[in-house]
Amino acid sequence: PPVDPPGGGPLPPRTDLPQFQLTFDENFTTLAAEGQFFSTAFYGTRWRQYADGTPDSYGKNNPGTSMYHQNVVSVSPSIDPSMTKNVMKLRLRYGTGATNATYNNRPWVACPAPIVAPQTNNTQLYGRYETMLRCASPVTGYKTAYLLWPSSENWPPDGEIDFPEGQLTGTIGAFMHRQGAT
């Protein structure tokens, strides 16, 4: 497939590839401040997120710790002078000023997920996924992961594929948890 031009110039046209039909493409053409990203006026019709206050996987096992919150996601111009494109930013931080006091003084994290196949309730049997990822500074206690989650919502029995996944202070890897694996 065509590669983005050096220096972040104009994007090449996105199109189907042999054996693959393009179903989702996001170039972040509209700027969105923190708290606006998931609004339908910005990206809310194409991206979803866990409800504010939902514990992330670390928080589920360690009550009182990190939780998802939409106020850490934004789209802004790249700070890299060689890029002219806008970028999605996830600002990992301790929350303050939340309308619900239980959100304060806890790590706020994000899990923006593209709505890839809305016509089939976001399910796909197979696919090709391409993304450009530039990780942030190494931040202790935080990780990144892109998940291909089972549409059955029956986890762990129905498996999961994670790539890239890893601590921001460590190595990034890929993991396939097969259906029915022990």
Side-chain angles (χ1 to χ4, degrees), residues 66 68 76 82 88 146 152 160 163 165 175:
S66 51
Y68 295 111
S76 54
S82 70
M88 173 196 283
Y146 288 9
S152 66
E160 162 190 353
F163 176 76
E165 181 178 24
F175 303 90

Side-chain angles (χ1 to χ4, degrees), residues 151-166:
S151 59
S152 66
E153 294 291 333
N154 185 17
W155 183 91
D158 287 352
E160 162 190 353
I161 300 172
D162 308 332
F163 176 76
E165 181 178 24

Side-chain angles (χ1 to χ4, degrees), residues 103-124:
Y103 295 166
N104 288 326
N105 302 314
R106 295 173 66 179
W108 288 1
V109 298
C111 182
I115 301 171
V116 177
Q119 69 279 10
T120 59
N121 196 26
N122 216 34
T123 62
Q124 286 188 242

Side-chain angles (χ1 to χ4, degrees), residues 5 15 30 39 60 106 138 165 169:
T15 186
T30 303
S39 161
K60 286 178 184 174
R106 295 173 66 179
E165 181 178 24
T169 56

Side-chain angles (χ1 to χ4, degrees), residues 70-91:
Q70 67 177 339
N71 283 352
V72 300
V73 183
S74 65
V75 173
S76 54
S78 174
I79 59 172
D80 183 338
S82 70
M83 293 181 64
T84 59
K85 300 175 211 162
N86 296 330
V87 295
M88 173 196 283
K89 289 187 177 181
L90 308 177
R91 185 169 65 107

Side-chain angles (χ1 to χ4, degrees), residues 1-14 27 78 80-86 130 132 134:
V3 176
D4 290 344
L11 293 169
R14 303 294 188 190
N27 290 315
S78 174
D80 183 338
S82 70
M83 293 181 64
T84 59
K85 300 175 211 162
N86 296 330
E130 180 180 329
M132 182 188 303
R134 182 175 291 182

